[in-house]
Amino acid sequence: MGVLALQGDAREHVSVLTECGAEPVLVRRADELAAVDALVLPGGESTAISRLLQVFDLLDPLRARLRDGMPAFGSCAGMILLADEVLDTRPDAQHLSGIDMTVRRNAFGRQVDSFETDLDFAGLDGGPMRAVFIRAPWVERAGDEVEVLARVPSGPAAGRIVAVRQGRVLATAFHPEVTGDHRVHRMFVDLVREQRRTAGSVNKHTGTDLKEVGE
């Protein structure tokens, strides 16, 4: 399992994934992307990550891996990158079309408008999840095949979609890597394990055997 490490809080995701029993590696190059069977796209600055994907020749390989069904999880900037359409972004910004959704960048406002709230998150046991929103996006349109997992419960943004899943691709507008609640990461690790059980034990991109919770 890889964590994209071009910009943003990659190491926080590595720490949480390790606690969840995975063996994550940092991904900065195309050969490193080819060697993993799943990828986390961290929070950070989405337009900066977009530019760096081009600089490091990762944009097209990553789009191809997503089209081929690679599991992925994006938080905050990662959600923006995974979208089909992005509003309020730079005209030269790139996105990956991993989820059939329209995302509005910085939808909740500037850094000073960052906030926390409790969310009911579909598919997670244990009660509401504390969510931290930092210059966060929200989902303005979710396609027919997109499962809505969480919405803002109250306030001016009540009802806005902030967590979704389409097939093997998961995205949150908030930062589950910073709260100590690892349930979203465990959901993703379980999704990857299920994908491995379904697909067998051989990574078609490397031809090598995969460990149960590694890569």
Side-chain angles (χ1 to χ4, degrees):
M1 181 182 296
V3 178
L4 188 66
L6 301 179
Q7 192 265 350
D9 61 344
R11 294 192 181 278
E12 288 83 351
H13 281 283
V14 166
S15 177
V16 176
L17 289 166
T18 301
E19 291 189 38
C20 292
E23 296 177 9
V25 297
L26 297 176
V27 171
R28 298 186 181 92
R29 297 177 177 84
D31 60 338
E32 295 168 340
L33 175 63
V36 300
D37 62 346
L39 188 70
V40 172
L41 292 84
E45 214 294 316
S46 61
T47 56
I49 298 173
S50 164
R51 289 195 297 271
L52 289 168
L53 284 171
Q54 297 173 79
V55 169
F56 285 84
D57 294 323
L58 279 168
L59 184 62
D60 289 337
L62 182 47
R63 283 173 171 161
R65 290 297 307 277
L66 290 167
R67 285 196 301 269
D68 287 345
M70 179 184 68
F73 165 43
S75 65
C76 198
M79 169 183 265
I80 296 168
L81 290 164
L82 286 170
D84 234 6
E85 180 184 18
V86 181
L87 306 177
D88 293 340
T89 193
R90 292 168 53 101
D92 60 342
Q94 302 290 325
H95 48 86
L96 299 167
S97 299
I99 297 178
D100 179 16
M101 62 180 176
T102 299
V103 168
R104 185 172 296 279
R105 184 172 173 266
N106 294 342
F108 292 95
R110 306 179 63 167
Q111 191 85 11
V112 295
D113 300 307
S114 301
F115 68 100
E116 299 182 24
T117 191
D118 291 327
L119 300 177
D120 292 324
F121 197 108
L124 294 184
D125 297 327
M129 162 169 281
R130 192 68 175 173
V132 176
F133 294 85
I134 304 170
R135 293 180 62 197
W138 65 44
V139 177
E140 294 219 346
R141 179 195 62 84
D144 293 341
E145 297 182 5
V146 176
E147 179 185 4
V148 174
L149 300 176
R151 297 176 182 267
V152 176
S154 60
R160 292 294 186 180
I161 301 169
V162 291
V164 293
R165 174 180 175 180
Q166 183 174 2
R168 304 183 186 103
V169 184
L170 175 69
T172 63
F174 56 93
H175 290 264
E177 71 277 11
V178 303
T179 63
D181 186 336
H182 298 167
R183 285 179 289 170
V184 172
H185 287 80
R186 290 195 187 100
M187 171 185 278
F188 183 61
V189 170
D190 289 344
L191 184 156
V192 175
R193 287 173 173 161
E194 179 59 32
Q195 159 70 3
R196 291 172 184 164
R197 284 193 290 268
T198 301
S201 61
V202 175
N203 184 332
K204 69 178 181 179
H205 292 273
T206 65
T208 57
D209 288 342
L210 300 175
K211 291 178 285 187
E212 174 62 19
V213 295
E215 304 299 305

